[in-house]
Amino acid sequence: MDKDTLDQTRRELRRFVREKLVPLEKQVADEDRIPDEIRRSFAEMGLYGISIPEEFGGLGLAMDEEVELVFELGWTSPAFRSLFGTNVGIGSQGILIDGTPEQKQAWLPKLASGEVTASFALTEPEAGSDAASVKTRAEKQGDHYIVNGTKRFITNAPHAGIFTLMARTDPNNKGAGGVTAFIVEAKTPGITIGKPDKKMGQRGSHTADVIFDNAKVPAANIIGGKEGQGFKTAMKVLDRGRLHISAMCVGAAERLIHESVSYARDRKQFGQAIAEFQLIQAMLADSRTEAYAARCMVRDAARRYAAGETVSLEASACKLFASEMVGRVADRAVQIHGGSGYIQEFAVERFYRDVRLFRLYEGTSQIQQLVIAKQMLRQAEAGQDA
């Protein structure tokens, strides 16, 4: 996308976020539901297809372009982005990167338009950070596989049209090489969706268990047509997903800072606005500094990704810093608001709970630390400069 078009798209999205979505935040939190009109608006704006190439009906944005839009989306409740986040990221990118031409043609246009919502079914009761320990079993029987197992905390599961399923096809291979990626239609007999999880935050974004009980999946639905490549496919999409979430963290931090500055200017104590107190100013300054650092990190890593560089270390560094940063910014925002920050009437109370999840999904902070350290050691062994 050329710069002028991207700038115009960003401005339109900013206006939509601030004029349409922000006023709906409390309603969505109270009702745990996003109005259908917002779903339609997102589809009309092309947001379901941000990362899907134009040949399949998407916007085809490069990573450095995508994060500019995500910065804007982070200004409002994360639940809104979750409507299309799985289509933009892990729901579509596995098909785009490793899918057969037939699989791409069959599903990418539907994902780009929002006609179909994709969910990424990887996490299990005993497999999260240790993704290679997947136990859900897919046993081949003729030209089909019979799938049994349970997936947990699956975003958009209640609304999904398809699942990108990670299942073990080789029981003798207990590691990553025994895992295969499938495209599974949600209406397949034998699939049951559990009750939506009651979460700490991000109401309006729904996760649930997905139970496979002798679900029959065609062998033609293996992504790429080859067994044992599922874990590799999952790893290929992580860098982009981590940069996307990092950009969300930046946007949320900037919204929290805005709320904090506004409150500090209006709130009076000891005869003056609390914004005049130096300890309040220190918290504001620390938050702005950290958010600025995170924005610069995300832009740099996204530019490198778009240029074709391998950025596993940088993407994990962004995810680690940005997700931890927004937690600190949220904590300061509540502190600046004082007792009001603990009251649901104020946005910072909701954001304080919402942003806590960023340190967990797309790899916990501890997993990011391990990824960064391992990449550093590999570079040292290869004689590369840090």
Side-chain angles (χ1 to χ4, degrees):
M1 184 178 289
D2 64 80
K3 185 178 184 302
D4 288 343
T5 303
L6 179 63
D7 287 344
Q8 180 181 348
T9 302
R10 183 182 56 77
R11 287 193 297 270
E12 291 175 354
L13 181 57
R14 171 176 283 202
R15 183 166 58 250
F16 182 78
V17 165
R18 302 189 185 202
E19 294 179 3
K20 300 295 185 181
L21 300 188
V22 170
L24 284 173
E25 289 173 349
K26 188 177 186 304
Q27 175 186 326
V28 168
D30 290 344
E31 298 179 359
D32 193 22
R33 179 182 175 276
I34 296 173
D36 290 339
E37 65 199 57
I38 299 302
R39 296 175 185 270
R40 290 192 292 268
S41 295
F42 281 164
E44 291 169 1
M45 296 169 72
L47 296 182
Y48 282 88
I50 287 176
S51 62
I52 297 174
E54 293 182 55
E55 64 182 288
F56 298 111
L59 296 181
L61 298 189
M63 192 71 241
D64 55 340
E65 298 170 329
E66 180 178 326
V67 297
E68 295 300 322
L69 299 190
V70 179
F71 287 148
E72 301 298 336
L73 287 163
W75 185 269
T76 189
S77 295
F80 289 115
R81 182 213 61 99
S82 73
L83 281 179
F84 59 85
T86 49
N87 281 34
V88 169
I90 50 184
S92 68
Q93 291 304 296
I95 299 172
L96 179 61
I97 294 171
D98 284 343
T100 65
E102 294 77 15
Q103 290 167 347
K104 293 177 184 180
Q105 197 58 56
W107 294 110
L108 292 180
K110 295 178 181 179
L111 296 176
S113 68
E115 177 185 345
V116 171
T117 294
S119 282
F120 189 67
L122 170 61
T123 301
E124 298 180 358
E126 296 182 12
S129 296
D130 182 14
S133 66
V134 164
K135 292 184 177 179
T136 294
R137 180 82 169 91
E139 183 178 358
K140 190 171 185 180
Q141 294 185 3
D143 60 354
H144 286 75
Y145 286 79
I146 303 302
V147 181
N148 286 282
T150 298
K151 297 295 182 177
R152 180 144 294 171
F153 307 139
I154 305 306
T155 301
N156 280 334
H159 317 294
I162 61 171
F163 295 101
T164 299
L165 169 70
M166 297 294 161
R168 189 165 300 282
T169 49
D170 184 356
N172 297 316
N173 186 335
K174 303 300 183 183
V179 177
T180 298
F182 295 85
I183 301 169
V184 182
E185 295 190 53
K187 63 183 180 182
T188 301
I191 295 179
T192 303
I193 309 301
K195 293 181 179 180
D197 299 315
K198 294 183 178 180
K199 307 188 300 297
M200 176 190 296
Q202 297 204 18
R203 290 176 60 81
S205 170
H206 301 139
T207 66
D209 284 2
V210 183
I211 301 96
F212 296 85
D213 182 11
N214 291 322
K216 192 176 180 181
V217 179
N221 287 25
I222 292 177
I223 295 180
K226 186 177 180 182
E227 282 192 7
Q229 302 299 305
F231 189 76
K232 292 181 180 178
T233 296
M235 294 303 102
K236 289 177 183 178
V237 306
L238 281 180
D239 289 347
R240 185 165 195 141
R242 285 167 177 169
L243 290 174
H244 183 107
I245 294 300
S246 299
M248 278 293 295
C249 293
V250 171
E254 292 175 346
R255 168 69 183 283
L256 284 158
I257 293 167
H258 168 81
E259 296 290 339
S260 298
V261 170
S262 297
Y263 185 84
R265 292 180 64 201
D266 292 340
R267 178 72 166 130
K268 300 290 195 300
Q269 285 286 293
F270 304 105
Q272 60 182 316
I274 64 171
E276 299 300 319
F277 300 151
Q278 289 184 332
L279 292 180
I280 296 293
Q281 292 176 357
M283 286 191 283
L284 293 173
D286 284 349
S287 292
R288 169 51 65 195
T289 300
E290 290 193 85
Y292 175 60
R295 180 178 273 258
C296 292
M297 288 176 69
V298 172
R299 278 180 165 161
D300 176 70
R303 176 182 56 80
R304 292 169 182 262
Y305 184 101
E309 295 183 32
T310 299
V311 296
S312 296
L313 187 155
E314 290 81 2
S316 285
C318 286
K319 170 65 166 55
L320 174 63
F321 182 79
S323 62
E324 295 285 341
M325 173 276 297
V326 73
R328 293 189 293 270
V329 171
D331 190 74
R332 293 188 198 110
V334 171
Q335 197 71 11
I336 289 167
H337 279 68
S340 297
Y342 206 67
I343 302 300
Q344 291 185 1
E345 179 183 347
F346 291 83
V348 297
E349 183 274 340
R350 183 183 64 253
F351 269 89
Y352 183 83
R353 291 179 287 107
D354 286 350
V355 303
R356 185 60 182 84
L357 185 57
F358 290 140
R359 291 153 63 186
L360 301 176
Y361 59 20
E362 297 283 351
T364 64
S365 292
Q366 288 67 40
I367 289 296
Q368 307 309 325
Q369 289 173 318
L370 295 178
V371 171
I372 294 165
K374 288 177 180 177
Q375 290 292 329
M376 291 170 66
L377 294 172
R378 288 195 188 107
Q379 291 177 1
E381 289 175 5
Q384 299 174 355
D385 292 332

